[in-house]
Amino acid sequence: MIPAAFEYVAPTTVEEALQALAEHGAAGDDVKILAGGQSLLPVLRMRLNAPEWVVDLSRIPSLRGVRDGGDHLVIGAMTTHDAVGHDPLVHEHALLLTKAVTHLADAQVRHRGTFGGALAHADPAGDVGAPALALDASFVIAGPGGSRTVPAGEFFVDIFETAIGEDEILTEVHIPKHTGWGAHYEKFVRVAHQWPIVAVAASVRLDGDTIAEARVGLTNMGSTPLRATAVEEALVGRPATEDAVREAAAHAADGANPPTDLNGGADYRRHLATVLTGRAVLAAAGRNGTRVPG
Amino acid sequence: MTATQDPGVATPTAEIGRDRRRKEDQRLITGRTRWTDNLTLPGMLHLAMVRSPFPHARIASIDTSAAKQSTNVVAVYTGADLAESQGACINAWPVVTDQVTPDHLPMPADRVAFAGETVAVVVARSAAEARDAAELVEVEYDELPAALDLKEAAAADSDNGVLAHPDLGTNVSAVWTFDSAEAGTGSDVEEAIAQAREDGIVIEREYRQQRLIPAFMEPRSVVVDPTGEQITMWSATQIPHILRFALAATTGVPESKIRVIAPDVGGGFGGKLQQTPEEMIAFAVARMLGKPVKFTETRSESLMTAHHGRDQWQRLTLAATKDGTVTGLKVDLLADLGAYVAIVGGGVPVLGAFMFNAIYKFPAYRFTTRNILTNKTWTDAYRGAGRPEATYAVERLMDELAAELGVDPLEVREKNWIKHDEFPFTTVAGMEYDSGNYEAATARAKEMIGYDELRAEQRERRERGDRVQLGIGVSTFTEMCGLAPSRILGQLNYGAGGWEHAEVRMLATGKVEVVTGASAHGQGHETAFSQIVADRLGVPFEDVEVLHGDTQVSHKGLDTYGSRSLVVGGEALVRAVDKVIEKARPIAAHLLEASIDDLEFAQGSFTVRGTDQGLPITEIATAVFASHNLPDGVESSLDSEATYDPVNFNFPHGTHLCAVEVDTETGQIKMRKYACCDDIGNIINPLIVAGQVHGGLVQGIAQALWEEAVYDENGTLVTGSFVDYLLPTAADTISFDIDHTTSPSTTNTLGTKGVGEAGTIASTPAVVNAVVDAIRHLGVNDIQMPCTPERVWRAIHSRSDGGGETAGAAAPHFDPSTGMSGTVDRAEGGAQ
Ligand SMILES: Cc1cc2nc3c(=O)[nH]c(=O)nc-3n(C[C@H](O)[C@H](O)[C@H](O)COP(=O)(O)OP(=O)(O)OC[C@H]3O[C@@H](n4cnc5c(N)ncnc54)[C@H](O)[C@@H]3O)c2cc1C
């Protein structure tokens, strides 16, 4: 598995990186950004893609790490899944992300793969898109003309397609704080290291026994991560009981357009989405009565 | 009658029976060793293959000019260029005399018969440059219709349907039948079935053995050096000796001018039991250029072109009396050979023919396999080779019979199995089982898993209508190990024998070199064979060096497969060691100035009975090296060799029990417990045995739950990477509970039986039986393998929901109706 030859540059600042993109892009070359390489390298090694230039972001320190931005967290695009998973700020203010990355792939992939790389890659089966969407993340994208911020609802465009332009770099992701919210990521797989067949990201704020607010995101139920707004609305003001939650979760697949592949037909995925949504919301609400095998 | 020993008191000797860590592991695990791809020779060139994307096509033209001009490219060859010099890939086992066997050139010149077949080879100074240039080779294909579906291919002929090789006029390579009435080993199965239709039970089922990919850890790699007097080939192969024979037989290069070395080899599972096109191409290119060459496949190439395993449809009819005594079994197989008949190829289903009757005393049996050619990757041996397929079928059927009778699945088995006081037992398939004790292994396995408690919990869950249901799966398996008595292989028309060879060399410094014709590729031969020699010769374990896998060092051998190394190769070794001792005896008598009759040999030394005089055999080796003082007429050597041809197979067995939880809402399966009690006779190294059992179990469980090679309607392998071909990891398995009963084999000195394939053979039906058992009360009597959550969910819900939409083209084998396949024919007035 040897990739085609390419030129390689590893800038140390975002400006240099943008310059490299602009320069080689203007020369008509195909330029690819390299983050953790966990999606890009397999593609290159299988020769599904053969860029002339690869711009490696791994030597840019400013792109790494999590910081407190006041009412939100700022996660650098090059922060690894493992670092996100072990970050105390994330755990406190965006528990849903902690839960989602903890079982992403395997330890090796989590130590190499990055939060920004996974979001930029925009695999609809990827585990970080739905939580980011559910938590109303916004995306800071740097380009030749400066930085712009894109809300989650506009970031994901299609399979492997985002709002990031060819000459742009995703630099950081802002996650509004969801302090005190319960969270659960319900991932349905056949083997542990697999991309989810369907997964549900749920976060809820309880007021006593009542669900005051709910956020539900769906993984692999369409060409982008989806937000199950019908479920969210149906949950608000309802008690966090199995019956009420399941009733709301019945709307999980409304408007979804899941794929059919070796792991399941679209109808099966729609069914899974409703079952898993119920379980995810109950678990997020701390009602773990229903244990799930697998 | 078989004596079953308490495993606690067996094997009291120093080395045999001891948990020795494997000598070879440090170098194998760290990779700091001679894997073929680690080898570099001066001036070595690298190969890249150009492969057909189509399953069946005529090669209209190949333009190599751009590739030839690419940087550092030395040559580009097509099939026409290599022509005769490339030799041929051979089938060593034409199962019938009129077998239809397509010619198999390593690189065809005019037509490709599966997607992935090589049409050109690029030779360059580096592997990267070879790969780059391979992209520049322009091949024009005229696509031909492809025979892809096994059942359709079986039904096709020249006038109707698609032929994998149109010139052959048929897709049927062979039809091989065994009939107990004709063989005189039993009665007529049709009569038994007719009788059961009248006043008994007939169970008819159709089971699918999905196609699997061996997925060994080290991709295949080959280096050929033509620059010496002999042409040397290093290859990641299980079969260096057979490969040398095949190279000589098909290229015309004298066998004595070829040396094949299998250095450290990273797994095989049967997948490296092959004479591969890539080896032949590398051999031809090296000879043409007079330069060393290397080819190492990518993982994608490995999944696509290294031979696959299993792939059968099994139509089964079981006849029984109303009390559950089986009166006959009829088996009709369709076996998918893929595009060519591989080296063992069509013999794989035949190996299964002797095992469908398993541990049972069926009075009548008939087996037919129709071996079918298709335009897919060829199939051949994969861990168990024929026996997992057979075991799966019969163990699933015994569960169906139990369900029909409304009795515990173990009860129906016990009613039909061979009792321990009936060994040796000649089966309806004509095999003589050496020893066994099914009662003891079953009792122990039940105790280990807590069988009765699990059954009680299952009842409770059913009564409560739990969302998560519990199933308990049973598999009481046996298999034939130790391929094989040469005479039997001859009767089956196999192209070689089944003996094994060993040599013991006593070095001057007291060290011992052992040469075996078996060819380890991860099994731990170096350790186990060292233990045997250390014990028998009385030398330290560390002083024994085991050499193998090089035809110049181990000049005779038939390599490693079919759980044969210990039971055949180990026995050859024992005999060679005994010869050393006998050669040393007169010298010892001479040096000790004693009568030969007064000598005893124990713990490495000859002693004179009744005295404290003694002489270690290692000192005799030194004395022989000097040869200053040997008795008259005695050869100056203790070195000895032995070739052993077994008189029979041996038949390990075991009871495997598995408990799974099935989430009826999602179809998800979670394994809760797995307990097995295997009887593999005496054990040389319990740690190695545990490793073989654990690995085997995971591989068999993977067939039940996860793995399947899937082709789409264009003949493209959809599961062409590990993203889609789901191999389990440690995270997907549970801690297995394993134990043993010990019925020593009566067919070899050490009393051992094979263990390499046991776990794989036994576990698949145990798991599927458990899954079906969990949801049988919901109206389900089968789930096609792999039992995906989707298939389980559809099986549960198709009745109440009237079936869902199918999974579509991406899962072509899926058919909701097969989730509920089969019928039970009950004679009117039958007991209910
Ligand atoms: C064996 C394996 C199993 C996996 N299983 C899972 C799984 O179960 N769930 C899951 O979610 N993921 C899984 N992944 C993917 C993993 O999460 C990857 O890390 C992730 O998809 C890509 O992140 P990366 O940092 O490696 O990016 P890269 O592979 O380096 O880049 C991915 C793409 O994003 C672009 N890109 C990267 N960073 C930026 C940026 N800052 N700005 C603009 N464009 C950018 C690149 O150009 C490229 O096109 C798995 C990967 C492997 C190898």
Side-chain angles (χ1 to χ4, degrees):
Chain A
M1 300 267 223
I2 307 167
F6 52 79
E7 299 294 330
Y8 170 87
V9 57
T12 53
T13 65
V14 172
E15 291 67 36
E16 283 169 27
L18 286 169
Q19 228 165 27
L21 286 181
E23 196 180 307
H24 304 303
D29 284 348
D30 184 15
V31 192
K32 273 274 162 203
I33 291 172
L34 175 67
Q38 298 304 292
S39 296
L40 184 64
L41 289 189
V43 165
L44 299 190
R45 287 162 66 96
M46 290 201 230
R47 297 195 173 220
L48 300 171
N49 202 324
E52 276 95 5
W53 277 89
V54 168
V55 179
D56 183 352
L57 303 187
S58 65
R59 309 238 172 109
I60 307 178
S62 65
L63 291 179
R64 278 183 203 273
V66 179
R67 54 190 171 80
D68 195 327
D71 63 350
H72 62 275
L73 295 181
V74 179
I75 303 181
M78 289 296 290
T79 313
T80 64
H81 298 308
D82 184 70
V84 171
H86 288 102
D87 190 276
L89 284 174
V90 174
H91 190 269
E92 187 180 351
H93 303 295
L95 183 61
L96 184 54
L97 280 184
T98 311
K99 301 256 173 158
V101 297
T102 307
H103 297 290
L104 186 154
D106 51 46
Q108 289 97 317
V109 172
R110 290 196 295 273
H111 275 85
R112 282 261 163 208
T114 65
F115 189 58
L119 290 165
H121 188 56
D123 184 337
D127 284 307
V128 292
L133 183 66
L135 296 180
D136 288 315
S138 51
F139 297 77
V140 182
I141 299 169
S147 272
R148 62 195 177 102
T149 301
V150 176
E154 291 166 26
F155 181 77
F156 299 105
V157 177
D158 206 340
I159 299 188
F160 304 126
E161 201 184 326
T162 67
I164 308 171
E166 287 201 346
D167 51 358
E168 293 184 314
I169 294 172
L170 174 66
T171 54
E172 52 194 40
V173 182
H174 294 185
I175 312 277
K177 285 185 180 171
H178 287 71
T179 320
W181 288 51
H184 185 79
Y185 189 69
E186 185 76 31
K187 181 169 175 171
F188 193 83
V189 289
R190 289 174 55 205
V191 294
H193 61 275
Q194 200 186 4
W195 272 264
I197 297 168
V198 172
V200 178
S203 202
V204 296
R205 189 170 65 77
L206 288 182
D207 188 355
D209 281 337
T210 306
I211 297 172
E213 286 183 272
R215 302 280 181 270
V216 179
L218 305 175
T219 304
N220 214 12
M221 284 296 290
S223 55
T224 65
L226 298 180
R227 182 92 176 248
T229 40
V231 179
E232 292 177 0
E233 282 160 18
L235 284 170
V236 174
R238 302 297 311 275
T241 61
E242 172 138 12
D243 284 349
V245 169
R246 283 184 169 245
E247 196 180 304
H251 299 289
D254 290 2
N257 186 19
T260 286
D261 60 25
L262 289 177
N263 292 306
D267 64 326
Y268 177 58
R269 281 193 161 87
R270 274 195 290 271
H271 164 76
L272 280 181
T274 60
V275 174
L276 302 179
T277 296
R279 292 178 186 181
V281 171
L282 284 168
R287 308 291 191 272
N288 255 340
T290 50
R291 259 328 302 151
V292 195
Chain B
M1 162 141 182
T2 306
T4 298
Q5 302 169 358
D6 177 345
V9 279
T11 61
T13 41
E15 280 297 338
I16 289 182
R18 177 168 172 185
D19 271 336
R20 274 281 187 190
R21 290 218 185 161
R22 306 200 321 178
K23 288 181 167 186
E24 49 270 71
D25 276 355
Q26 193 180 355
R27 68 170 206 274
L28 295 182
I29 291 169
T30 58
R32 292 184 185 280
T33 188
R34 274 174 231 150
W35 304 118
T36 302
D37 192 50
N38 282 357
L39 297 173
T40 299
L41 301 176
M44 187 174 77
L45 302 171
H46 297 262
L47 310 186
M49 304 296 168
V50 179
R51 298 183 183 275
S52 166
F54 302 112
H56 197 190
R58 293 215 170 277
I59 304 167
S61 67
I62 303 182
D63 181 353
T64 60
S65 52
K68 278 178 176 154
Q69 277 152 30
S70 187
T71 317
N72 280 329
V73 167
V74 175
V76 183
Y77 298 119
T78 65
D81 299 327
L82 293 188
E84 304 278 278
S85 75
Q86 58 180 317
C89 293
I90 57 170
N91 165 243
W93 191 352
V95 294
V96 291
T97 44
D98 59 350
Q99 175 174 287
V100 173
T101 313
D103 290 340
H104 188 184
L105 287 179
M107 188 152 70
D110 54 352
R111 188 174 60 93
V112 292
F114 71 97
E117 189 156 25
T118 303
V119 296
V121 56
V122 175
V123 191
R125 299 211 185 282
S126 74
E129 287 159 335
R131 190 70 259 157
D132 287 345
E135 312 248 297
L136 302 175
V137 174
E138 301 263 350
V139 188
E140 251 183 77
Y141 297 94
D142 294 332
E143 278 187 74
L144 296 168
L148 297 171
D149 179 79
L150 173 55
K151 284 185 178 177
E152 285 173 19
D157 57 34
S158 306
D159 302 322
N160 292 297
V162 179
L163 295 182
H165 298 275
D167 52 317
L168 297 179
T170 178
N171 287 329
V172 182
S173 168
V175 180
W176 189 96
T177 297
F178 175 89
D179 188 301
S180 62
E182 285 163 22
T185 53
S187 47
D188 184 77
V189 81
E190 296 299 350
E191 274 173 28
I193 293 168
Q195 186 68 39
R197 283 198 206 283
E198 231 160 75
D199 61 5
I201 300 168
V202 177
I203 293 186
E204 295 178 274
R205 291 288 186 276
E206 182 171 39
Y207 293 137
R208 172 85 176 129
Q209 282 286 327
Q210 78 270 36
R211 186 176 267 253
L212 299 176
I213 302 181
F216 32 75
M217 195 174 283
E218 176 209 20
R220 297 170 307 166
S221 180
V222 57
V223 171
V224 182
D225 181 5
T227 60
E229 183 54 36
Q230 284 95 17
I231 305 175
T232 303
M233 173 184 284
W234 290 261
S235 183
T237 180
Q238 291 177 226
I239 51 164
H241 296 93
I242 296 171
L243 180 56
R244 176 166 86 147
F245 174 86
L247 284 166
T250 69
T251 62
V253 178
E255 192 179 355
S256 52
K257 295 288 185 192
I258 302 172
R259 175 183 189 184
V260 176
I261 302 173
D264 281 329
V265 177
F269 310 121
K272 289 176 183 162
L273 198 185
Q274 199 58 262
Q275 174 213 2
T276 70
E278 291 82 0
E279 286 163 337
M280 301 304 290
I281 292 167
F283 192 75
V285 170
R287 287 175 65 210
M288 272 191 163
L289 293 172
K291 295 237 170 78
V293 302
K294 178 194 277 185
F295 173 72
T296 300
E297 68 183 357
T298 66
R299 178 62 71 183
S300 306
E301 285 178 297
S302 189
L303 294 175
M304 183 167 54
T305 65
H307 75 243
H308 295 169
R310 315 278 194 265
D311 206 345
Q312 298 180 350
W313 277 108
Q314 311 176 312
R315 280 184 47 201
L316 307 154
T317 311
L318 185 85
T321 60
K322 278 180 210 160
D323 74 347
T325 304
V326 177
T327 53
L329 173 65
K330 190 168 92 168
V331 177
D332 279 299
L333 298 188
L334 287 182
D336 193 333
L337 302 183
Y340 298 104
V341 192
I343 195 158
V344 179
V348 171
V350 174
L351 283 173
F354 305 99
M355 283 288 114
F356 276 86
N357 51 299
I359 64 170
Y360 307 112
K361 297 186 278 186
F362 298 164
Y365 171 56
R366 182 180 169 86
F367 168 97
T368 304
T369 179
R370 295 210 296 146
N371 293 350
I372 307 297
L373 294 159
T374 60
N375 295 113
K376 288 179 290 191
T377 300
W378 53 355
T379 61
D380 205 328
Y382 172 54
R383 204 168 186 174
R387 294 154 288 160
E389 296 91 320
T391 304
Y392 180 82
V394 68
E395 289 303 292
R396 286 285 296 111
L397 285 178
M398 293 309 273
D399 259 37
E400 295 304 300
L401 178 60
E404 184 54 26
L405 293 164
V407 301
D408 189 282
L410 282 170
E411 191 183 318
V412 114
R413 285 171 171 80
E414 181 159 15
K415 188 180 267 301
N416 287 285
W417 74 38
I418 303 157
K419 306 291 178 289
H420 78 276
D421 56 7
E422 292 173 320
F423 288 94
F425 184 91
T426 303
T427 72
V428 73
M431 289 283 143
E432 190 189 290
Y433 288 3
D434 55 344
S435 67
N437 190 330
Y438 309 139
E439 298 91 324
T442 301
R444 178 74 189 110
K446 279 179 78 174
E447 177 187 321
M448 285 159 70
I449 204 166
Y451 191 79
D452 297 334
E453 294 80 353
L454 284 169
R455 284 281 175 218
E457 181 185 335
Q458 177 182 45
R459 264 193 309 277
E460 283 164 28
R461 284 185 187 239
R462 280 189 185 180
E463 279 158 19
R464 278 205 310 269
D466 254 20
R467 182 166 59 71
V468 177
Q469 289 291 323
L470 182 68
I472 301 134
V474 173
S475 167
T476 48
F477 89 104
T478 189
E479 61 148 329
M480 51 197 255
C481 271
L483 284 177
S486 299
R487 213 179 298 167
I488 297 184
L489 291 175
Q491 284 160 11
L492 291 172
N493 213 25
Y494 182 68
W499 45 263
E500 195 46 88
H501 188 75
E503 192 183 326
V504 177
R505 302 174 184 160
M506 302 300 291
L507 304 188
T509 53
K511 309 288 180 194
V512 181
E513 279 178 350
V514 168
V515 182
T516 173
S519 193
H521 42 284
Q523 290 85 350
H525 293 176
E526 288 168 39
T527 303
F529 287 10
S530 294
Q531 288 178 272
I532 293 170
V533 171
D535 247 13
R536 214 160 176 94
L537 214 51
V539 297
F541 170 78
E542 294 76 16
D543 286 356
V544 184
E545 198 71 23
V546 178
L547 309 175
H548 60 82
D550 177 344
T551 57
Q552 230 164 60
V553 174
S554 125
H555 69 292
K556 272 180 82 172
L558 283 170
D559 309 321
T560 287
Y561 42 83
S563 300
R564 69 190 305 273
S565 294
L566 179 59
V567 294
V568 188
E571 180 67 18
L573 182 54
V574 164
R575 291 175 183 219
V577 169
D578 288 353
K579 284 187 188 173
V580 169
I581 296 167
E582 287 323 304
K583 280 174 98 171
R585 195 178 293 276
I587 303 170
H590 176 76
L591 295 175
L592 288 166
E593 296 176 349
S595 155
I596 205 163
D597 300 330
D598 290 340
L599 288 189
E600 277 175 348
F601 182 74
Q603 310 206 316
S605 287
F606 287 98
T607 49
V608 184
R609 207 171 286 126
T611 74
D612 56 2
Q613 270 189 299
L615 190 59
I617 195 160
T618 48
E619 281 182 30
I620 299 173
T622 311
V624 168
F625 174 69
S627 284
H628 297 164
N629 180 19
L630 298 188
D632 291 342
V634 165
E635 189 189 1
S636 293
S637 172
L638 295 182
D639 299 350
S640 300
E641 42 189 317
T643 303
Y644 172 67
D645 198 345
V647 290
N648 191 2
F649 296 91
N650 60 80
F651 299 88
H653 69 84
T655 298
H656 287 231
L657 300 173
C658 164
V660 302
E661 292 179 356
V662 175
D663 181 338
T664 56
E665 231 172 19
T666 61
Q668 186 67 287
I669 297 161
K670 181 186 173 190
M671 191 169 291
R672 204 165 98 185
K673 274 187 173 180
Y674 196 103
C676 60
C677 182
D678 287 309
D679 195 323
I680 54 166
N682 291 331
I683 291 175
I684 306 298
N685 183 329
L687 198 59
I688 291 181
V689 164
Q692 288 290 334
V693 172
H694 282 238
L697 290 177
V698 176
Q699 230 159 349
I701 294 167
Q703 174 171 17
L705 298 181
W706 299 304
E707 295 183 30
E708 176 167 26
V710 178
Y711 285 86
D712 67 13
E713 67 282 3
N714 301 316
T716 306
L717 182 67
V718 183
T719 51
S721 83
F722 287 146
V723 173
D724 293 305
Y725 191 80
L726 296 188
L727 283 186
T729 65
D732 301 300
T733 59
I734 58 169
S735 181
F736 303 123
D737 199 0
I738 73 173
D739 201 358
H740 303 279
T741 52
T742 308
S743 308
S745 172
T746 56
T747 61
N748 62 69
T749 311
L750 296 168
T752 58
K753 303 179 180 181
V755 70
E757 297 160 296
T760 311
I761 294 170
S763 59
T764 311
V767 175
V768 177
N769 278 339
V771 172
V772 173
D773 184 56
I775 53 177
R776 193 184 285 281
H777 65 294
L778 302 175
V780 178
N781 71 13
D782 191 30
I783 304 286
Q784 191 178 305
M785 294 190 293
C787 301
T788 64
E790 182 186 33
R791 285 177 177 162
V792 172
W793 177 76
R794 287 194 196 280
I796 295 172
H797 295 278
S798 59
R799 287 223 162 148
S800 46
D801 300 0
E805 66 195 66
T806 68
H813 296 304
F814 182 74
D815 174 1
S817 62
T818 58
M820 309 289 291
S821 73
T823 61
V824 174
D825 214 5
R826 247 179 188 281
E828 261 172 79
Q832 184 67 63

